[in-house]
Amino acid sequence: MPDQEPGPLAGLRVLDLADETGAHAGRVLAELGADVVKVEPPGGEPARLRPPWYTGTDGVRRSIAWAAQNIGKRSICLPLDRPDGRERLLALVAEADILVETDGLGRMAARGLGHDVLRAANPRLVHTSITPYGSDGPYCDYTAADITLQAMGAHAYVTGDPDRPPLSIAAQVAYAHGGAEGAAASLVAHYESLASGSGQHVDVSIEQCVVWTLLNSTMTWQLAGRDDQRGGAYRKERGLDLVTRFVWECADGYVHFVPVGGGGGHARARSYDAMVRWMVESHFDDPILTRYDWNGEDANRLRQEDYDVLAAHIDEFLRSKTILELYDFAVRNRVLLAPAMSVQEILIDEHLRVRDVWRELRLPGVADPVRHPAPFARFTVTPLAPAGWVAEPGEHDGAVWERSSP
Amino acid sequence: MTATHDEVETETGAATAVRPEAWHPGGRRPVFAGLKVADFSWAAAAPIVTRFLSDYGATVVRVESRAHMDSVRFGGPFLDGVPDVNTSGFFAEFNAGKLGITLDMGNETARDVARRLIGWADVVTESFSPGVMDRWGLGWEDVHALNPSAVMVSSSMRGAHGPQSDYRGYGGQGAALAGMHLLTGWPDRNPAGPKGAYTDSIAPRYGLAALTAALIRRRRDGVGQYIEMSQVECALQFVTTELLDHQLTGAVAGPMGNASAHHAPHGMYPCLGDDRWIALAVESDEEWRRLRVAMGEPGWAADPDLATATGRLRRRDEVDRELSGWTATWEPYPLLTHLQRAGVRSGVAQKPSDLFDDPQLAHRGHFVDLDGGALGRVGYNASSFRLSATPGLPWRGTPDLGEHTTTVLTELLGYSAAEVEELARAGALH
């Protein structure tokens, strides 16, 4: 009965030894329907103590960051620093399809859990390491934080204001990239194992994940011989000389909008034309609006002084409008403009509500459920049924993967 | 790591349009060897998914149209700075290894070719605005009827249904809608937002996971299914902590520069040289002790008030100022080595150009030099993961617009040369 499968990965077994730097991988696999078992040291993993925290009605302080990355994972506690703990783990490895860890090959081997040991326990096993730089190489032992990885992967250098230091995104995005990549890569290797009957090692580098977020900056260096520069709300990108504005202030907040200077094309031309019509109707007409074929013939030879005149005019118009007015117009007229939404606005967004994006999440020590964004994909045959809970340390001790199970 | 590509050239004697079957880099068949992909996607997010499929062995036919060009072909950088649809490095990165064909989808005859392509494929991807494929008679119902074993993935900014499903946007707009702009900026300035079309860098990982999960599931009964995705909803996964935090504590995540609400010091600190900075994070009192040792135990840092996170957070500005005075006397890479020896979390704020000299990326074989069409030879990003037994790499550079139309139609879809000529005369291959 396909309708009752909790997603396409129903029946897949995952052992999750990852700390906060790779925990997102297990969450993605759990959401796709896998049975993910978190293996923690007795008492729970250190990441359960990481900020931010909430204090429950039971007076216990728990980690919100931990909860966010461990939704729907069962938990068992094993002392992997002791032979009996390792033996128990290897017995579980024998029954598992995927094992995810964040130590890398070297440290796993030093713990007596090297790839050869895992492979001996289960030749079909996909063993995935998610580490800052990869399991080997000159930086493999470098210690990192999310901000240092955003820096090494060069995304920070090209983000932020020109007169300030490079800027990081104030969320654990490098770890999330590594985790999402680790989930995808684990499945790629598992798919292969179904054909070959053999597992393998998957080695994810978070630095490389961050490099991918540059999208075209490495090409700009190679083809134009220059580094993209950070420009705050303004950017100088795609190898162009032009500094263009991306983030604009409106009456009650900010919007992301690239009226011209994005390289042109149908969608950009249509977006700009709709905005110009609105400006004209609102008596914000000006010859500069139509002086050039901004997103067509002239798209790649715009002059900065012309752009600046245009931008000043658009700026004045946007400041006269509210976020809701602008976004409503953008949705109806295919304008490439979006509000910079806050977490509160996201939580009450009508579109997300209608799409049934939110799932209830019950947390220990919290009377009423909170909401988390799920599912990230909609399947016709195997719809996802995201879990609405997180496990306390060792909550499923002794209750996983009995040998008699199918 | 470029050797693999060169071996392909040597073995076959010439660059070949269709990936040679003999290409078994790890002794085992590549993961997606034999997997056939009809790729109607465009822009960045969805083409990145099919780029991964190609790297790991799939035959990917990327369908484009001269009537409605992929906007990324208009995006620079361009070879020699001259805009040309065939020399965009932006486009090239996401399309290496694919076979490029052109079909004017407004033409019914072209849609017949698209139907034959869908019949050939295991996987169909598209990222048009919701409803476009349906209007062409190529929506999920049509695809499933044509080819019951095909897995189809549709992705768009806001998803296929809902009051804002008509909304059009790129990844920059997606980042704004997913709350990332307000997490990226200085508290005293306009938010900057992350560089690039940021959600285009997030969604492909979820797309690859979802698609591969469906392929795994398909092995059970051979029946395909439809996957619908929204780029913004993928990006919301990245801010789950912030969304929960607001509900549980009332906290509202906002721009805070490089500071952390919980740790100090935490930020980017100046070094010697032109726009040189090092990122550094102290996440515990023990790590603070290590940093003090690395700095040579300066007097200001010995203040017992700074021994705890509470004290360091309260006097964050002072700590940052003193620490900056010390880092500013160092070149960035020697300082990185020094801090790493001391066990301090640290990383240089590398420039994109630095990545080409990064010894770790070189060790990983991150940049792969490949020839492709009019763009010529350029370095492509390899995927961020390595598979020990069945490694994958981009194997061929980007296709020119319509470069493989005839090859694909005759060699993969079984059209005769005369039929291809007839299709061209009918305007189907524009």
PDB file of all heavy atoms in Angstrom, chain B residues 27-45:
ATOM      1  N   GLY B  27      36.430   1.191 -11.562  1.00  0.00           N
ATOM      2  CA  GLY B  27      36.341  -0.257 -11.696  1.00  0.00           C
ATOM      3  C   GLY B  27      34.889  -0.705 -11.687  1.00  0.00           C
ATOM      4  O   GLY B  27      34.513  -1.629 -12.387  1.00  0.00           O
ATOM      5  N   ARG B  28      34.056  -0.018 -10.876  1.00  0.00           N
ATOM      6  CA  ARG B  28      32.617  -0.279 -10.903  1.00  0.00           C
ATOM      7  C   ARG B  28      31.970   0.715 -11.861  1.00  0.00           C
ATOM      8  O   ARG B  28      32.524   1.763 -12.130  1.00  0.00           O
ATOM      9  CB  ARG B  28      32.022  -0.088  -9.497  1.00  0.00           C
ATOM     10  CG  ARG B  28      32.063  -1.382  -8.716  1.00  0.00           C
ATOM     11  CD  ARG B  28      32.164  -1.238  -7.224  1.00  0.00           C
ATOM     12  NE  ARG B  28      31.115  -0.527  -6.531  1.00  0.00           N
ATOM     13  CZ  ARG B  28      31.111  -0.405  -5.191  1.00  0.00           C
ATOM     14  NH1 ARG B  28      32.065  -0.966  -4.469  1.00  0.00           N
ATOM     15  NH2 ARG B  28      30.162   0.261  -4.588  1.00  0.00           N
ATOM     16  N   ARG B  29      30.786   0.362 -12.361  1.00  0.00           N
ATOM     17  CA  ARG B  29      30.089   1.289 -13.237  1.00  0.00           C
ATOM     18  C   ARG B  29      29.765   2.579 -12.492  1.00  0.00           C
ATOM     19  O   ARG B  29      29.427   2.536 -11.307  1.00  0.00           O
ATOM     20  CB  ARG B  29      28.771   0.659 -13.722  1.00  0.00           C
ATOM     21  CG  ARG B  29      28.916  -0.246 -14.912  1.00  0.00           C
ATOM     22  CD  ARG B  29      27.684  -1.128 -15.075  1.00  0.00           C
ATOM     23  NE  ARG B  29      26.433  -0.392 -15.340  1.00  0.00           N
ATOM     24  CZ  ARG B  29      26.080   0.053 -16.540  1.00  0.00           C
ATOM     25  NH1 ARG B  29      26.863  -0.135 -17.582  1.00  0.00           N
ATOM     26  NH2 ARG B  29      24.929   0.672 -16.706  1.00  0.00           N
ATOM     27  N   PRO B  30      29.836   3.730 -13.167  1.00  0.00           N
ATOM     28  CA  PRO B  30      29.423   4.971 -12.507  1.00  0.00           C
ATOM     29  C   PRO B  30      27.991   4.830 -11.984  1.00  0.00           C
ATOM     30  O   PRO B  30      27.193   4.062 -12.531  1.00  0.00           O
ATOM     31  CB  PRO B  30      29.478   6.006 -13.629  1.00  0.00           C
ATOM     32  CG  PRO B  30      30.425   5.441 -14.639  1.00  0.00           C
ATOM     33  CD  PRO B  30      30.278   3.946 -14.548  1.00  0.00           C
ATOM     34  N   VAL B  31      27.695   5.551 -10.922  1.00  0.00           N
ATOM     35  CA  VAL B  31      26.408   5.400 -10.236  1.00  0.00           C
ATOM     36  C   VAL B  31      25.233   5.474 -11.208  1.00  0.00           C
ATOM     37  O   VAL B  31      24.338   4.633 -11.189  1.00  0.00           O
ATOM     38  CB  VAL B  31      26.234   6.513  -9.174  1.00  0.00           C
ATOM     39  CG1 VAL B  31      24.875   6.377  -8.491  1.00  0.00           C
ATOM     40  CG2 VAL B  31      27.357   6.474  -8.156  1.00  0.00           C
ATOM     41  N   PHE B  32      25.245   6.491 -12.052  1.00  0.00           N
ATOM     42  CA  PHE B  32      24.092   6.728 -12.910  1.00  0.00           C
ATOM     43  C   PHE B  32      24.335   6.285 -14.351  1.00  0.00           C
ATOM     44  O   PHE B  32      23.659   6.759 -15.275  1.00  0.00           O
ATOM     45  CB  PHE B  32      23.675   8.201 -12.848  1.00  0.00           C
ATOM     46  CG  PHE B  32      23.180   8.634 -11.488  1.00  0.00           C
ATOM     47  CD1 PHE B  32      23.806   9.662 -10.794  1.00  0.00           C
ATOM     48  CD2 PHE B  32      22.077   8.010 -10.904  1.00  0.00           C
ATOM     49  CE1 PHE B  32      23.348  10.059  -9.537  1.00  0.00           C
ATOM     50  CE2 PHE B  32      21.609   8.395  -9.654  1.00  0.00           C
ATOM     51  CZ  PHE B  32      22.249   9.424  -8.974  1.00  0.00           C
ATOM     52  N   ALA B  33      25.304   5.392 -14.551  1.00  0.00           N
ATOM     53  CA  ALA B  33      25.559   4.888 -15.904  1.00  0.00           C
ATOM     54  C   ALA B  33      24.267   4.299 -16.455  1.00  0.00           C
ATOM     55  O   ALA B  33      23.590   3.510 -15.787  1.00  0.00           O
ATOM     56  CB  ALA B  33      26.652   3.832 -15.877  1.00  0.00           C
ATOM     57  N   GLY B  34      23.893   4.698 -17.651  1.00  0.00           N
ATOM     58  CA  GLY B  34      22.685   4.163 -18.257  1.00  0.00           C
ATOM     59  C   GLY B  34      21.431   4.957 -17.918  1.00  0.00           C
ATOM     60  O   GLY B  34      20.391   4.772 -18.550  1.00  0.00           O
ATOM     61  N   LEU B  35      21.522   5.840 -16.935  1.00  0.00           N
ATOM     62  CA  LEU B  35      20.345   6.652 -16.578  1.00  0.00           C
ATOM     63  C   LEU B  35      20.166   7.762 -17.616  1.00  0.00           C
ATOM     64  O   LEU B  35      21.111   8.483 -17.934  1.00  0.00           O
ATOM     65  CB  LEU B  35      20.518   7.276 -15.190  1.00  0.00           C
ATOM     66  CG  LEU B  35      19.254   7.929 -14.616  1.00  0.00           C
ATOM     67  CD1 LEU B  35      18.310   6.870 -14.034  1.00  0.00           C
ATOM     68  CD2 LEU B  35      19.617   8.955 -13.531  1.00  0.00           C
ATOM     69  N   LYS B  36      18.949   7.877 -18.133  1.00  0.00           N
ATOM     70  CA  LYS B  36      18.678   8.839 -19.198  1.00  0.00           C
ATOM     71  C   LYS B  36      17.810   9.973 -18.669  1.00  0.00           C
ATOM     72  O   LYS B  36      16.774   9.729 -18.053  1.00  0.00           O
ATOM     73  CB  LYS B  36      17.991   8.123 -20.370  1.00  0.00           C
ATOM     74  CG  LYS B  36      18.929   7.096 -21.020  1.00  0.00           C
ATOM     75  CD  LYS B  36      18.231   6.236 -22.044  1.00  0.00           C
ATOM     76  CE  LYS B  36      17.339   5.214 -21.376  1.00  0.00           C
ATOM     77  NZ  LYS B  36      16.936   4.101 -22.243  1.00  0.00           N
ATOM     78  N   VAL B  37      18.250  11.191 -18.921  1.00  0.00           N
ATOM     79  CA  VAL B  37      17.601  12.353 -18.319  1.00  0.00           C
ATOM     80  C   VAL B  37      17.159  13.334 -19.398  1.00  0.00           C
ATOM     81  O   VAL B  37      17.982  13.795 -20.201  1.00  0.00           O
ATOM     82  CB  VAL B  37      18.552  13.076 -17.338  1.00  0.00           C
ATOM     83  CG1 VAL B  37      17.841  14.256 -16.672  1.00  0.00           C
ATOM     84  CG2 VAL B  37      19.095  12.105 -16.298  1.00  0.00           C
ATOM     85  N   ALA B  38      15.860  13.604 -19.439  1.00  0.00           N
ATOM     86  CA  ALA B  38      15.316  14.659 -20.308  1.00  0.00           C
ATOM     87  C   ALA B  38      15.200  15.914 -19.464  1.00  0.00           C
ATOM     88  O   ALA B  38      14.335  16.018 -18.607  1.00  0.00           O
ATOM     89  CB  ALA B  38      13.953  14.242 -20.858  1.00  0.00           C
ATOM     90  N   ASP B  39      16.085  16.853 -19.713  1.00  0.00           N
ATOM     91  CA  ASP B  39      16.258  17.995 -18.822  1.00  0.00           C
ATOM     92  C   ASP B  39      15.660  19.252 -19.453  1.00  0.00           C
ATOM     93  O   ASP B  39      16.283  19.904 -20.284  1.00  0.00           O
ATOM     94  CB  ASP B  39      17.761  18.166 -18.548  1.00  0.00           C
ATOM     95  CG  ASP B  39      18.062  19.270 -17.555  1.00  0.00           C
ATOM     96  OD1 ASP B  39      17.108  19.807 -16.967  1.00  0.00           O
ATOM     97  OD2 ASP B  39      19.260  19.588 -17.371  1.00  0.00           O
ATOM     98  N   PHE B  40      14.433  19.577 -19.029  1.00  0.00           N
ATOM     99  CA  PHE B  40      13.768  20.778 -19.518  1.00  0.00           C
ATOM    100  C   PHE B  40      13.969  21.947 -18.551  1.00  0.00           C
ATOM    101  O   PHE B  40      13.283  22.952 -18.645  1.00  0.00           O
ATOM    102  CB  PHE B  40      12.261  20.527 -19.686  1.00  0.00           C
ATOM    103  CG  PHE B  40      11.919  19.519 -20.748  1.00  0.00           C
ATOM    104  CD1 PHE B  40      11.812  18.171 -20.458  1.00  0.00           C
ATOM    105  CD2 PHE B  40      11.720  19.931 -22.069  1.00  0.00           C
ATOM    106  CE1 PHE B  40      11.502  17.238 -21.438  1.00  0.00           C
ATOM    107  CE2 PHE B  40      11.406  19.009 -23.053  1.00  0.00           C
ATOM    108  CZ  PHE B  40      11.297  17.653 -22.732  1.00  0.00           C
ATOM    109  N   SER B  41      14.900  21.789 -17.600  1.00  0.00           N
ATOM    110  CA  SER B  41      15.074  22.822 -16.589  1.00  0.00           C
ATOM    111  C   SER B  41      15.893  23.979 -17.139  1.00  0.00           C
ATOM    112  O   SER B  41      16.535  23.867 -18.175  1.00  0.00           O
ATOM    113  CB  SER B  41      15.755  22.227 -15.357  1.00  0.00           C
ATOM    114  OG  SER B  41      17.093  21.890 -15.640  1.00  0.00           O
ATOM    115  N   TRP B  42      15.866  25.091 -16.425  1.00  0.00           N
ATOM    116  CA  TRP B  42      16.670  26.242 -16.820  1.00  0.00           C
ATOM    117  C   TRP B  42      17.037  27.067 -15.617  1.00  0.00           C
ATOM    118  O   TRP B  42      16.693  26.719 -14.494  1.00  0.00           O
ATOM    119  CB  TRP B  42      15.957  27.047 -17.910  1.00  0.00           C
ATOM    120  CG  TRP B  42      14.729  27.786 -17.469  1.00  0.00           C
ATOM    121  CD1 TRP B  42      13.706  27.284 -16.702  1.00  0.00           C
ATOM    122  CD2 TRP B  42      14.408  29.141 -17.742  1.00  0.00           C
ATOM    123  NE1 TRP B  42      12.761  28.246 -16.522  1.00  0.00           N
ATOM    124  CE2 TRP B  42      13.155  29.405 -17.142  1.00  0.00           C
ATOM    125  CE3 TRP B  42      15.037  30.155 -18.465  1.00  0.00           C
ATOM    126  CZ2 TRP B  42      12.539  30.650 -17.217  1.00  0.00           C
ATOM    127  CZ3 TRP B  42      14.413  31.399 -18.543  1.00  0.00           C
ATOM    128  CH2 TRP B  42      13.185  31.634 -17.927  1.00  0.00           C
ATOM    129  N   ALA B  43      17.777  28.154 -15.837  1.00  0.00           N
ATOM    130  CA  ALA B  43      18.370  28.998 -14.789  1.00  0.00           C
ATOM    131  C   ALA B  43      19.431  28.189 -14.040  1.00  0.00           C
ATOM    132  O   ALA B  43      20.233  27.528 -14.695  1.00  0.00           O
ATOM    133  CB  ALA B  43      17.313  29.600 -13.892  1.00  0.00           C
ATOM    134  N   ALA B  44      19.423  28.186 -12.708  1.00  0.00           N
ATOM    135  CA  ALA B  44      20.551  27.563 -12.005  1.00  0.00           C
ATOM    136  C   ALA B  44      20.160  26.347 -11.169  1.00  0.00           C
ATOM    137  O   ALA B  44      20.768  25.279 -11.288  1.00  0.00           O
ATOM    138  CB  ALA B  44      21.247  28.602 -11.123  1.00  0.00           C
ATOM    139  N   ALA B  45      19.146  26.478 -10.327  1.00  0.00           N
ATOM    140  CA  ALA B  45      18.916  25.456  -9.293  1.00  0.00           C
ATOM    141  C   ALA B  45      18.692  24.068  -9.890  1.00  0.00           C
ATOM    142  O   ALA B  45      19.349  23.098  -9.499  1.00  0.00           O
ATOM    143  CB  ALA B  45      17.728  25.848  -8.416  1.00  0.00           C
TER     144      ALA B  45
END
